[in-house]
Amino acid sequence: MSIAREDSAFDSGAERKPMDPRGYQLEMLAESMSKNIIVAMDTGSGKTHIAMMRIQAELDRCSPEKLIWFLCPTVVLAQQQYEYFGKNLHCIQIRLLTGNDGVDRWGEKKIWDEVLQDIKLVVSTYQVLLDALVHGFFGIRRLALLIHDECHNCTKESSANRIMQEFYHPKLGLVGEVPHILGLSASPIMNSELGGLEKIEQNMHALSRTPKLHREELLQYVHLPTMETLIYSESVSGSENPPLLKGLLRVYSELDIQSDPWVVKLREARHGGDSKQLQKALVGRKTYCQDQLKSLCMMARNVYEELGPWAVELYIYTCLHKFQNRQAPSVVIFEDLGEDERAYLLRAFAPLYEINIDDRRSPEDAELSPKVRVLLECLQAEVRPGFAGLVFVQTRASVRLLAQLISTHTRTKDRLMVGTFVGTSNNAKRKSSIGEIHNVLDQGETLDDLRYGRKNLIITTSVLEEGIDVSATNTVICFQKPTNLKSFIQRRGRARSAKSKYIIMLAEGYHTNFLHTWGQLEDDMKQMYMDDMRRLEEIRQQEDEEYGEVFKVEKTGAQMSFKDAVRHLEHWCGVLPKTQYADSRPAYSLEHHTDGQHVRARVLLPKSVDETVRETIGDSWWKSEKSAKRDAAFEAYLTLYHAGLVNDHLLPLVANDDPAFQEYSNIEKRPSLVKVREVLSPWPEIAAACQAESTRFESTVKFSIGHSVVLMRMISPFVLPSLGRLTLYPENESVVHVDFDPITNVQYGGETDISDKITMLLLFSIYRSRMTSDRRGFPVLFEPSIDFTKRDKWLTEVTGTRPASTLLGNLPVYMQAGIIRDLSMNGTPYIFSGVQYRHVEIDGAQIEGNIEPDMELAPFLSVSKLSKRTDFLHPIMKNEDSKTTKGAKYLAPNTCTVDNLPYTTSQCAMYIPCIMHHIETALITENLCNNLLSSVHFRNRHLVTTAITASSAREAYNYQSLEFMGDSCLKVYTTINLMTMHLNWHEGYLTLKKGYMVSNGLLALTAQQIGLDQYIITRAFTGYKWKPLYNEDLLRSQPASTREMSTKVLADIVEALLGAAFVDGGYPKVLACLSIFLPEVPWKSLNDCIEVLHKVAVPNEASVFPHHYSHLEVLIKHKFNTKSLLIEALTHSSHLGPDNTPSYERLEFMGDAVLDIIVTSRVFQHRSSLQPFRMHLLRTALANANFLAFVGMRHSLSIARTSLPTKKSGTLQSASDSFKSLSIWHFMRHGHSADLIKAQASCHARFVELGPAISDALANGDSYPWTLLTALAPVKFFSDIIESIIAAIYIDSAGSLAACENFLTVLGILPYLDRALDLGVAMMHPKEELGVVAGNETVKYEVVVVEDNKEDQKSRPGYKCKVSVGQREVAVVYGARTRIEAETRAAEEAVKFLKQHVGELGTRAEDQDPEQKKVRTEDYRTDDDDEGEEEYFDAVDVIDEMGLDDDGSFVRQDVDGTIREEKG
């Protein structure tokens, strides 16, 4: 049976907000932490919630060997509390012990030791603990805290009082020998005897306490019912008994005791002692059958007097027929009755079985007692919409009969839905009774039925007076007067709805006597009600003279008065980051002055606020709570202002008028394209050096062309930077390697005038159409690597041309032949390859020029056309075939000339434009490194070149991979530095500031301000309009020119340079770069930051690390040196306890960045070369919140616990071991909101359902399980605590990423990443993949909510999503829990469909480039989006790699290098 708990003053049947402790509950908790107390509060005010907080606080501070024991008076209440604690305290082991477990048979201490091993909380009845103490199986010194629920039972010889008197009080004064005591009761005294309260306090060694500081708040939440009496006439005892009752009484009076089986047995026995026992049975009529029959008669008589003839007839009839049919409503089926005794009674009952009644007919008023008739009239008058009532009766039989009576009577049967509830003890010692007609199995859902409106009236015994949670009712009726003061108060507490009634039924003849004995008590109780209500009204009407202080900010003129303070503070808390299941409102508590007339307030801000400003005490004492709260709010807001958490306009820092964040807002409104400076040209500086310096420097350039090597000399006016190797791509599909010897940059020893002439000759041999032969003066000179003294002679020999006929028959000559020029075709250049003498050999080949008949047998020149290509930096594309001419051609020698300059030398000259571009890029890089980035000291210049080269430049390298790495470096440095710079900032401010510091807008603006834009290479080298550079032209003053550039490219270059710095020298160089790019930020090294964060995390020496968290350290495989970090990492913002531990938001903010840098580094440094697009997919998938939540839920630790001993075949079996599985989320500390606990349970249920499939997909699948993880739909805190633990480990280990990686390995995150990298697991999200597969077609998602349709089993209730591609519907899914799950599942099905129908909708997915793909998606939704639903896919990362700008535009590069954008 599921029994709800009585845990707060909330209406269990209504929708409710997160159950955060109220001021009066925190007041009681604070008192309990300092002394033993009895919490005396009305039923429904939340005493169990106070106990929950007290247990949690004690667990946090008690030593490991201690445990907590929660005592209850009944099994039902013990079961209820056990269920409640089990739902709230996940990370500790809890044990329920009752008589039903057979604890009376545990005759050895080792059994108790095994049962209680590793148990931190025991819930039991009083008797269980007493027995364990009495027999020495358990010592009270092992208890840290002992809680007495319904402690008013701690009187006289009760088990509760014996525990205190025999085992607690004797050890008072002995340190560590007795536990702390907490009592819970709505009525600490059982009756109105003088001194009763003092006696309870003495027994409990505790002081009775009720909220004083927050009395006003308590009165607002605990509604006081109107008390009425209901008078009825005398009972029916004077009228004639009904037939069945008359017959039953006759049977009892005429029963032959001599024939009683027990008497017969005693007579037949021969033992001496049996004669006395026989005499006792005969005289006292003490046999089992006599007792059963007597009990049945007494109960029948009571039913008759209380309920009337109809009820007693039904009662006796029901009892007799259940007995005849061997039916019993309890578990025991009359097994205490022997067959001879059963036969004896059946013979006695025989006359009664002849009397028949209709047990289903509706009773007439004449058949009811006057008392019942008055009750029916009362119920008829009270029933109204929203009615919910309880009727307390004395006996279990009356419960069943009165319920059936009300359910069938014409006045009430159509207006009341009646349920029943009685005690549910299953004690084996309890014997069956013939008079028991109530079946407890019928009441399993009774309380839930009342809670959810399926029933509106419950008939019950005193079992519902205390402990068990019953939904707030508006009518409570006592069918009999309460037996004592305790019962009176407990029943009254059940009527806790607004405008409720508490009705006591009294007989006319008994009224005077009742008033004599109870009148004073009733008056006293009413007086207390009136006093409470009068006090509440006085508080509402009382107005203190307000303090006139006003705080004013001179700078802005903003001001705040007392009247504004509460509103200001609530607004400040209202803009804190929203956390599910946590109340962000300020909480006020009060303390009374010694004069008893004044109060002072204390305000506590949410856990996410820094502890240095979280709590503030009012400055003065006040007459009313309202004024005291204003004072505290005023002081709290001043504290926030002076701490820098409120701006000069007295608004939170997120307000639009704050200068810093206004700047951020303006930056984010940046245009997509901006005017920037043209790329820096290094050539004017070289030209100037050529004019000013006579010294020259040479480098050896080696051309590896096929199997040949040609050496050239390159001459410059200063030492050139290292140029490395340049790879060129001629048209013959081979490659040419150009190597620049880095160690021959020595001073040139020749005359530059000859070198200038040689350079002109080389260039003119190839590019004569782009230059004149009489102009010289080049910034960089080239010449063959020959002896300086032979250059003049060589130059003379290779200058000019000669007839091509000189090549005929002269093999040594044409081996050194130059370029062939066909004079008949305006000097078209060709490459000479040989001589052909027979026309037949060239039959069908292309013959250039006019061929005379007599020349058919003459020799021809075999040539190939000289390539027109000028860009050898890039491989030949398909569309460039027209620029090359393949195949042999034949020329007549008489129309051609041949250059004296050997072709091998001219061929090297052909590559000079590419070399010049290569030199230009290197010089730009060198300039950047020597000027703007001089403090970084880059060793690897190629990294810098890569970082400043956009993909539009079409180089073999670009910044995208380095930007991927640099983005993560920027994120982690910004995050950790902000944490250090602003120790009192909450996560909301940190996130906003980080967003500003890493925004593309700020980075783009910074790039322009520091001049980085002039170093960015965006245009591709084509050589299409290339012309030689002349010093004369370079020295002319040129007007400043600009170009358009995407602001995203500017920002990306900044991040790419950070990535280059990381690769070149790790975090120190990243820090150096950041100091250049964002100099206004006081950057610190990560080590310095961690040192600061570690110091502030050192806990108070007095704090105690909860022992059960040692299991968590084992689970995550990290033993913390600073334990407070682990506690903070697991503290949800809803948690409210006596400690000042902040919530995990700041750590989660930091852990996200640490996780990002670990995953990014691993992906970036993988041995395979990954495309940036795939890098982003991998990082997005590994940092996905659903994935983190899943691995955190999957990773668990089995904690052994001992099972309770069982009884089999009469033999006590030894206890066996069982295991409790604990995951990380079980250890999260929270405020025990009912909604939060429900979210945990539902997510865990989904995990159990989906976990095996997700694990299999991660271990064996070829794609990332996006759909399954989306269906898991964990609440955000499941992933938050993973990231917060990462940060806690990082700080605790003094900044060790290895320690964090170990944790990620334990969770399985890094092993999965390695598998995805090595095996190429597909990581693209189904929605993104669908966009690619769909080609140019528009993708539409239509999402609707489907109700349960029993006729259409396919249309399961939940979200339905239909996907269309173009005009075609390709997939439909049903039954999704969330909109996102529906869309993801539908996209996955659509992708499968389209892949099976390749060609029907255009290009295949694998043929499309995701970086150039433009995806158009339209969402059509007819339902509201789910609130608070987390996005599963970081689209920004993917958009970045698709070439998308932040505003959704597509950036592309034209052939001439101009960057444009197209709207997608």
Side-chain angles (χ1 to χ4, degrees):
M1 180 181 63
S2 175
I3 301 175
R5 67 181 188 278
E6 178 192 319
D7 55 4
S8 74
F10 292 94
D11 182 356
S12 303
E15 292 296 325
R16 51 193 179 193
K17 296 180 179 178
M19 188 177 56
D20 290 324
R22 292 175 175 143
Y24 63 83
Q25 292 172 325
L26 293 174
E27 178 187 340
M28 292 293 94
L29 173 63
E31 286 219 45
S32 173
M33 295 300 293
S34 61
K35 63 173 92 57
N36 294 345
I37 67 167
I38 299 170
V39 177
M41 298 194 316
D42 286 334
T43 301
S45 56
K47 296 186 294 295
T48 306
H49 198 63
I50 296 172
M52 166 62 66
M53 294 189 292
R54 183 66 180 85
I55 290 171
Q56 196 169 45
E58 192 63 37
L59 288 173
D60 287 345
R61 75 177 186 178
C62 70
S63 55
E65 69 277 4
K66 299 271 189 179
L67 56 85
I68 298 171
W69 207 296
F70 191 100
L71 294 171
C72 303
T74 65
V75 173
V76 172
L77 187 54
Q79 291 172 335
Q80 163 215 304
Q81 303 292 33
Y82 172 72
E83 291 178 8
Y84 171 51
F85 294 135
K87 292 178 181 177
N88 286 272
L89 297 172
H90 299 291
C91 59
I92 65 169
Q93 298 208 53
I94 308 172
R95 178 76 78 191
L96 171 67
L97 300 177
T98 68
N100 298 339
D101 300 314
V103 293
D104 55 325
R105 297 189 297 271
W106 300 353
E108 299 179 46
K109 185 177 185 300
K110 68 175 184 179
I111 296 179
W112 283 88
D113 291 341
E114 291 176 359
V115 168
L116 297 180
Q117 184 177 357
D118 295 326
I119 301 297
K120 303 305 294 181
L121 174 63
V122 178
V123 181
S124 79
T125 54
Y126 292 118
Q127 190 64 44
V128 169
L129 177 58
L130 178 61
D131 290 344
L133 293 170
V134 166
H135 296 291
F137 298 142
F138 183 82
I140 202 166
R141 68 184 310 272
R142 283 195 60 190
L143 294 178
L145 174 65
L146 182 61
I147 303 177
H148 289 251
D149 201 4
E150 309 299 343
C151 67
H152 46 261
N153 294 290
C154 189
T155 59
K156 300 179 181 179
E157 298 301 319
S158 68
S159 300
N161 197 31
R162 287 189 60 195
I163 292 171
M164 300 301 295
Q165 299 303 324
E166 298 175 22
F167 299 96
Y168 179 88
H169 284 280
K171 293 188 177 183
L172 280 176
L174 301 178
V175 178
E177 292 293 323
V178 294
H180 300 286
I181 300 295
L182 174 63
L184 307 175
S185 179
S187 53
I189 53 177
M190 296 285 288
N191 50 52
S192 56
E193 293 179 3
L194 186 63
L197 178 59
E198 290 79 1
K199 188 61 178 176
I200 293 289
E201 290 180 330
Q202 181 181 348
N203 293 345
M204 289 287 295
H205 192 245
L207 297 176
S208 181
R209 288 289 182 264
T210 190
K212 295 180 180 179
L213 307 180
H214 298 83
R215 186 69 181 171
E216 175 187 355
E217 182 184 36
L218 178 61
L219 293 175
Q220 289 173 343
Y221 286 112
V222 179
H223 303 288
L224 302 174
T226 301
M227 199 170 86
E228 298 180 358
T229 56
L230 194 62
I231 307 301
Y232 60 91
S233 62
E234 190 55 65
S235 68
V236 296
S237 57
S239 58
E240 184 179 357
N241 292 332
L244 266 179
L245 177 58
K246 186 185 300 184
L248 178 64
L249 296 175
R250 184 184 306 112
V251 167
Y252 177 65
S253 64
E254 296 176 356
L255 189 64
D256 182 12
I257 195 171
Q258 299 294 339
S259 302
D260 190 298
W262 176 243
V263 172
V264 173
K265 180 179 179 181
L266 291 177
R267 278 191 177 138
E268 295 174 352
R270 298 181 179 181
H271 300 291
D274 287 347
S275 59
K276 293 182 179 180
Q277 196 170 4
L278 175 61
Q279 186 68 21
K280 181 179 179 181
L282 291 172
V283 174
R285 300 179 69 88
K286 295 293 294 182
T287 71
Y288 186 70
C289 291
Q290 291 287 331
D291 287 345
Q292 285 283 321
L293 194 52
K294 180 180 178 181
S295 175
L296 178 61
C297 290
M298 292 176 62
M299 182 58 67
R301 189 67 191 174
N302 176 267
V303 169
Y304 176 57
E305 293 176 352
E306 291 289 318
L307 305 182
W310 177 88
V312 72
E313 293 275 273
L314 178 62
Y315 172 66
I316 297 172
Y317 178 84
T318 303
C319 290
L320 292 178
H321 282 78
K322 282 184 177 292
F323 181 72
Q324 184 182 37
N325 299 325
R326 289 182 178 267
Q327 296 176 353
S330 58
V331 175
V332 183
I333 312 297
F334 302 118
E335 66 179 19
D336 304 303
L337 205 62
E339 284 299 321
D340 52 349
E341 292 173 315
R342 171 178 164 76
Y344 171 70
L345 289 176
L346 284 174
R347 287 194 301 271
F349 290 150
L352 302 180
Y353 286 121
E354 298 176 0
I355 303 175
N356 292 318
I357 68 168
D358 183 2
D359 60 339
R360 296 185 179 181
R361 68 182 180 87
S362 300
E364 302 294 335
D365 283 353
E367 300 176 290
L368 306 178
S369 68
K371 188 175 184 178
V372 171
R373 290 198 293 268
V374 170
L375 174 64
L376 292 176
E377 292 173 0
C378 174
L379 290 173
Q380 190 175 16
E382 293 295 330
V383 173
R384 57 192 178 276
F387 172 84
L390 290 176
V391 177
F392 284 98
V393 299
Q394 199 166 41
T395 66
R396 296 162 68 97
S398 296
V399 168
R400 163 72 185 279
L401 296 167
L402 191 56
Q404 185 168 343
L405 188 155
I406 296 173
S407 298
T408 57
H409 196 278
T410 54
R411 294 189 192 179
T412 53
K413 66 178 182 179
D414 296 327
R415 305 182 67 186
L416 291 172
M417 299 167 286
V418 186
T420 61
F421 196 91
V422 299
T424 59
S425 174
N426 293 323
N427 194 328
K429 294 181 179 179
R430 180 184 172 191
K431 296 183 179 181
S432 59
S433 170
I434 298 176
E436 177 65 70
I437 62 173
H438 192 91
N439 192 342
V440 297
L441 299 179
D442 294 337
Q443 66 185 38
E445 303 297 327
T446 296
L447 298 183
D448 283 341
D449 288 343
L450 178 65
R451 179 173 293 107
Y452 298 112
R454 295 188 291 266
K455 296 190 185 304
N456 58 6
L457 181 67
I458 303 298
I459 314 299
T460 183
T461 61
S462 59
V463 69
L464 283 189
E465 285 182 356
E466 58 187 22
I468 300 172
D469 182 30
V470 180
S471 295
T473 56
N474 47 42
T475 303
V476 171
I477 302 175
C478 298
F479 196 64
Q480 292 87 15
K481 71 177 181 66
T483 57
N484 52 41
L485 178 60
K486 182 270 295 186
S487 181
F488 178 86
I489 296 174
Q490 297 278 22
R491 293 183 180 186
R492 182 204 68 180
R494 294 304 183 190
R496 62 176 186 264
S497 292
K499 299 180 180 181
S500 56
K501 289 185 178 182
Y502 182 38
I503 302 172
I504 300 176
M505 298 189 69
L506 300 173
E508 283 179 339
Y510 199 73
H511 188 219
T512 303
N513 293 334
F514 175 79
L515 288 179
H516 179 72
T517 57
W518 282 74
Q520 186 61 49
L521 173 61
E522 182 180 3
D523 291 342
D524 290 345
M525 296 301 295
K526 286 187 176 181
Q527 186 63 46
M528 186 179 72
Y529 298 160
M530 296 304 296
D531 289 345
D532 283 343
M533 296 304 292
R534 188 181 299 111
R535 173 59 182 158
L536 183 58
E537 189 63 28
E538 289 175 358
I539 290 172
R540 290 171 177 167
Q541 294 179 358
Q542 181 178 354
E543 289 291 338
D544 279 320
E545 184 178 344
E546 293 289 354
Y547 194 55
E549 182 178 354
V550 174
F551 175 74
K552 186 174 183 179
V553 180
E554 296 298 333
K555 181 179 178 181
T556 62
Q559 66 180 34
M560 176 183 63
S561 67
F562 263 36
K563 292 182 179 180
D564 300 326
V566 172
R567 180 174 55 83
H568 273 65
L569 191 60
E570 288 179 352
H571 173 65
W572 190 88
C573 291
V575 299
L576 291 173
K578 296 297 183 291
T579 302
Q580 271 187 299
Y581 316 113
D583 191 349
S584 62
R585 294 171 298 180
Y588 295 91
S589 59
L590 300 167
E591 61 176 315
H592 281 278
H593 194 273
T594 54
D595 63 9
Q597 302 296 319
H598 294 80
V599 293
R600 182 171 63 181
R602 180 190 309 261
V603 62
L604 187 68
L605 303 184
K607 276 270 188 180
S608 58
V609 178
D610 184 70
E611 60 182 325
T612 60
V613 296
R614 190 183 305 152
E615 186 176 12
T616 306
I617 300 175
D619 187 58
S620 303
W621 296 89
W622 303 86
K623 292 180 181 179
S624 72
E625 294 180 14
K626 181 178 180 181
S627 298
K629 289 181 179 179
R630 286 179 173 179
D631 182 21
F634 186 85
E635 294 298 324
Y637 211 72
L638 287 184
T639 302
L640 293 174
Y641 174 76
H642 293 304
L645 299 175
V646 173
N647 64 23
D648 287 333
H649 293 276
L650 297 180
L651 291 171
L653 295 186
V654 295
N656 289 333
D657 58 351
D658 185 78
F661 296 105
Q662 181 68 43
E663 180 184 7
Y664 171 46
S665 176
N666 291 337
I667 283 176
E668 284 306 294
K669 295 176 182 177
R670 60 184 169 77
S672 299
L673 297 176
V674 292
K675 293 284 187 180
V676 299
R677 282 169 286 193
E678 190 56 77
V679 65
L680 177 71
S681 174
W683 299 117
E685 182 182 358
I686 295 179
C690 289
Q691 294 289 335
E693 302 290 340
S694 58
T695 304
R696 297 290 187 271
F697 297 86
E698 67 170 280
S699 298
T700 300
V701 183
K702 181 175 70 174
F703 294 83
S704 299
I705 306 172
H707 298 290
S708 302
V709 173
V710 179
L711 297 179
M712 298 285 287
R713 187 181 293 125
M714 184 171 65
I715 304 161
S716 59
F718 50 70
V719 177
L720 295 176
S722 175
L723 298 174
R725 165 174 282 193
L726 178 62
T727 300
L728 304 175
Y729 303 90
E731 71 280 357
N732 56 7
E733 297 183 0
S734 61
V735 295
V736 173
H737 295 298
V738 183
D739 294 289
F740 302 87
D741 193 339
I743 63 171
T744 58
N745 250 330
V746 297
Q747 189 168 336
Y748 178 63
E751 296 181 7
T752 57
D753 184 60
I754 296 177
S755 301
D756 206 15
K757 293 178 182 179
I758 294 174
T759 302
M760 189 279 297
L761 177 65
L762 296 176
L763 292 174
F764 193 75
S765 69
I766 300 296
Y767 301 107
R768 59 179 58 195
S769 64
R770 306 185 185 189
M771 58 187 298
T772 59
S773 60
D774 58 349
R775 192 175 184 195
R776 292 183 289 130
F778 306 100
V780 178
L781 307 177
F782 295 88
E783 64 184 26
S785 185
I786 57 178
D787 189 276
F788 291 117
T789 60
K790 298 179 180 180
R791 289 184 304 160
D792 282 339
K793 180 181 178 183
W794 180 87
L795 180 60
T796 302
E797 291 175 351
V798 299
T799 300
T801 62
R802 63 185 186 276
S805 58
T806 58
L807 298 174
L808 300 178
N810 192 346
L811 184 60
V813 174
Y814 75 73
M815 287 293 291
Q816 295 295 323
I819 294 175
I820 303 296
R821 301 186 188 277
D822 186 356
L823 301 180
S824 67
M825 299 294 291
N826 297 319
T828 302
Y830 292 90
I831 303 171
F832 176 71
S833 58
V835 178
Q836 293 292 340
Y837 287 92
R838 294 179 58 85
H839 185 226
V840 67
E841 295 178 4
I842 60 175
D843 187 30
Q846 183 176 359
I847 300 177
E848 300 288 339
N850 298 319
I851 305 299
E852 299 295 335
D854 59 351
M855 295 178 59
E856 289 187 358
L857 298 178
F860 287 85
L861 302 179
S862 177
V863 297
S864 59
K865 205 164 187 178
L866 185 66
S867 174
K868 296 181 180 180
R869 292 184 70 230
T870 52
D871 173 18
F872 299 98
L873 293 175
H874 306 100
I876 298 176
M877 307 299 289
K878 293 181 180 180
N879 58 359
E880 290 187 277
D881 288 344
S882 59
K883 297 182 180 180
T884 62
T885 302
K886 298 180 181 180
K889 299 180 184 296
Y890 298 93
L891 299 177
N894 61 344
T895 62
C896 299
T897 62
V898 58
D899 288 354
N900 291 329
L901 183 66
Y903 173 71
T904 54
T905 305
S906 295
Q907 188 177 14
C908 293
M910 186 186 306
Y911 302 135
I912 287 178
C914 297
I915 294 173
M916 294 291 284
H917 173 77
H918 187 58
I919 294 172
E920 178 179 344
T921 301
L923 289 173
I924 292 173
T925 299
E926 192 70 12
N927 189 303
L928 175 60
C929 291
N930 291 337
N931 292 283
L932 183 59
L933 302 180
S934 60
S935 59
V936 183
H937 306 293
F938 273 102
R939 296 189 304 265
N940 187 343
R941 295 296 203 259
H942 180 67
L943 285 171
V944 180
T945 303
T946 302
I948 61 175
T949 303
S951 57
S952 57
R954 295 182 58 219
E955 298 290 352
Y957 47 82
N958 62 62
Y959 68 71
Q960 290 181 349
S961 294
L962 288 174
E963 181 270 333
F964 172 76
M965 187 70 239
D967 171 75
S968 189
C969 291
L970 175 63
K971 180 178 179 180
V972 74
Y973 251 94
T974 301
T975 297
I976 297 177
N977 270 268
L978 282 175
M979 290 269 291
T980 307
M981 286 186 283
H982 304 287
L983 295 173
N984 65 352
W985 275 20
H986 57 72
E987 181 261 342
Y989 282 178
L990 293 172
T991 299
L992 186 65
K993 185 66 173 180
K994 186 191 80 170
Y996 163 65
M997 292 176 63
V998 304
S999 66
N1000 283 347
L1002 179 63
L1003 298 181
L1005 180 62
T1006 295
Q1008 290 179 275
Q1009 289 175 341
I1010 65 176
L1012 180 61
D1013 54 335
Q1014 63 184 326
Y1015 296 101
I1016 299 175
I1017 301 170
T1018 56
R1019 290 194 178 94
F1021 174 79
T1022 63
Y1024 182 67
K1025 296 181 180 180
W1026 185 87
K1027 292 182 180 180
L1029 298 175
Y1030 298 99
N1031 293 331
E1032 180 183 1
D1033 297 336
L1034 294 171
L1035 291 174
R1036 286 197 195 97
S1037 177
Q1038 298 291 336
S1041 59
T1042 60
R1043 53 181 170 157
E1044 280 190 336
M1045 185 177 293
S1046 166
T1047 48
K1048 184 181 183 304
V1049 171
L1050 286 165
D1052 285 351
I1053 296 297
V1054 173
E1055 293 178 335
L1057 286 170
L1058 291 173
F1062 176 79
V1063 176
D1064 192 61
Y1067 290 119
K1069 290 196 175 182
V1070 174
L1071 177 61
C1073 262
L1074 286 170
S1075 300
I1076 294 170
F1077 298 144
L1078 298 171
E1080 70 279 4
V1081 179
W1083 298 101
K1084 290 183 179 181
S1085 70
L1086 294 183
N1087 288 337
D1088 289 344
C1089 290
I1090 294 303
E1091 184 178 353
V1092 172
L1093 295 174
H1094 189 270
K1095 284 181 180 178
V1096 299
V1098 174
N1100 190 314
E1101 293 298 329
S1103 64
V1104 178
F1105 182 63
H1107 174 65
H1108 55 278
Y1109 270 61
S1110 60
H1111 294 312
L1112 179 57
E1113 291 183 307
V1114 175
L1115 180 61
I1116 65 178
K1117 289 185 170 52
H1118 181 85
K1119 190 171 183 62
F1120 277 80
N1121 298 307
T1122 305
K1123 306 292 187 182
S1124 62
L1125 285 167
L1126 182 58
I1127 300 298
E1128 180 180 346
L1130 272 297
T1131 300
H1132 189 264
S1133 56
S1134 65
H1135 177 263
L1136 282 177
D1139 62 272
N1140 288 324
T1141 305
S1143 53
Y1144 60 63
E1145 281 83 2
R1146 277 175 57 93
L1147 286 178
E1148 181 263 328
F1149 170 76
M1150 177 178 172
D1152 174 69
V1154 176
L1155 171 65
D1156 189 89
I1157 194 69
I1158 290 174
V1159 172
T1160 299
S1161 299
R1162 208 175 186 94
V1163 171
F1164 182 81
Q1165 296 169 0
H1166 191 255
R1167 61 181 178 273
S1168 63
S1169 180
L1170 300 175
Q1171 291 296 320
F1173 182 74
R1174 177 158 175 78
M1175 288 182 176
H1176 280 274
L1177 290 177
L1178 284 162
R1179 182 168 67 183
T1180 299
L1182 270 293
N1184 175 262
N1186 292 357
F1187 175 71
L1188 295 179
F1190 171 76
V1191 296
M1193 297 175 74
R1194 180 181 63 178
H1195 182 58
S1196 61
L1197 178 69
S1198 294
I1199 305 297
R1201 62 177 287 170
T1202 303
S1203 300
L1204 295 180
T1206 59
K1207 184 179 181 182
K1208 295 182 179 179
S1209 303
T1211 304
L1212 184 66
Q1213 305 294 317
S1214 60
S1216 59
D1217 285 337
S1218 63
F1219 296 91
K1220 179 178 182 178
S1221 181
L1222 293 178
S1223 297
I1224 294 174
W1225 67 271
H1226 287 106
F1227 293 87
M1228 188 180 78
R1229 307 197 312 162
H1230 54 79
H1232 308 292
S1233 157
D1235 293 334
L1236 186 149
I1237 295 170
K1238 181 180 178 181
Q1240 287 181 323
S1242 60
C1243 186
H1244 180 68
R1246 293 194 296 274
F1247 169 77
V1248 172
E1249 175 190 350
L1250 301 171
I1254 297 175
S1255 293
D1256 181 67
L1258 294 175
N1260 306 305
D1262 55 5
S1263 62
Y1264 185 81
W1266 281 109
T1267 302
L1268 288 170
L1269 288 172
T1270 304
L1272 181 63
V1275 184
K1276 187 174 182 293
F1277 58 68
F1278 280 95
S1279 59
D1280 285 349
I1281 57 177
I1282 301 299
E1283 293 178 330
S1284 63
I1285 291 175
I1286 293 172
I1289 293 174
Y1290 187 63
I1291 298 174
D1292 185 67
S1293 61
S1296 170
L1297 287 176
C1300 300
E1301 289 172 347
N1302 180 65
F1303 172 56
L1304 297 179
T1305 301
V1306 167
L1307 292 181
I1309 294 176
L1310 293 187
Y1312 178 70
L1313 175 58
D1314 292 339
R1315 178 178 183 271
L1317 287 167
D1318 295 340
L1319 301 182
V1321 175
M1323 308 302 287
M1324 189 179 291
H1325 191 278
K1327 292 184 71 174
E1328 185 67 23
E1329 186 176 7
L1330 177 58
V1332 175
V1333 174
N1336 294 323
E1337 299 284 354
T1338 298
V1339 179
K1340 299 178 182 178
Y1341 294 88
E1342 184 177 353
V1343 183
V1344 296
V1345 176
V1346 177
E1347 302 296 337
D1348 191 6
N1349 187 350
K1350 295 182 180 180
E1351 297 180 0
D1352 184 2
Q1353 297 298 324
K1354 184 178 180 181
S1355 300
R1356 297 186 302 277
Y1359 284 88
K1360 168 189 172 184
C1361 181
K1362 179 174 68 176
V1363 178
S1364 300
V1365 176
Q1367 301 300 315
R1368 181 179 186 181
E1369 180 182 310
V1370 295
V1372 181
V1373 297
Y1374 299 88
R1377 295 184 182 93
T1378 64
R1379 174 184 58 79
I1380 292 177
E1381 179 192 350
E1383 290 183 353
T1384 306
R1385 281 174 48 196
E1388 185 176 60
E1389 293 300 318
V1391 169
K1392 293 178 183 178
F1393 175 84
L1394 293 182
K1395 286 184 175 180
Q1396 292 172 356
H1397 298 77
V1398 174
E1400 294 184 21
L1401 290 170
T1403 312
R1404 300 192 315 159
E1406 55 267 33
D1407 294 334
Q1408 300 207 23
D1409 182 358
E1411 294 187 15
Q1412 298 177 1
K1413 174 73 177 69
K1414 291 187 283 188
V1415 183
R1416 289 183 296 158
T1417 303
E1418 298 179 17
D1419 289 330
Y1420 293 86
R1421 302 189 179 99
T1422 58
D1423 61 297
D1424 294 334
D1425 290 350
D1426 296 340
E1427 291 186 5
E1429 200 166 52
E1430 290 295 318
E1431 274 298 339
Y1432 51 85
F1433 191 61
D1434 187 356
V1436 174
D1437 283 344
V1438 178
I1439 288 174
D1440 285 351
E1441 289 311 311
M1442 292 175 63
L1444 283 172
D1445 204 355
D1446 284 356
D1447 64 352
S1449 59
F1450 288 80
V1451 179
R1452 69 175 177 83
Q1453 183 85 30
D1454 285 353
V1455 175
D1456 64 356
T1458 303
I1459 297 179
R1460 305 185 186 280
E1461 67 172 353
E1462 298 173 353
K1463 294 293 180 180

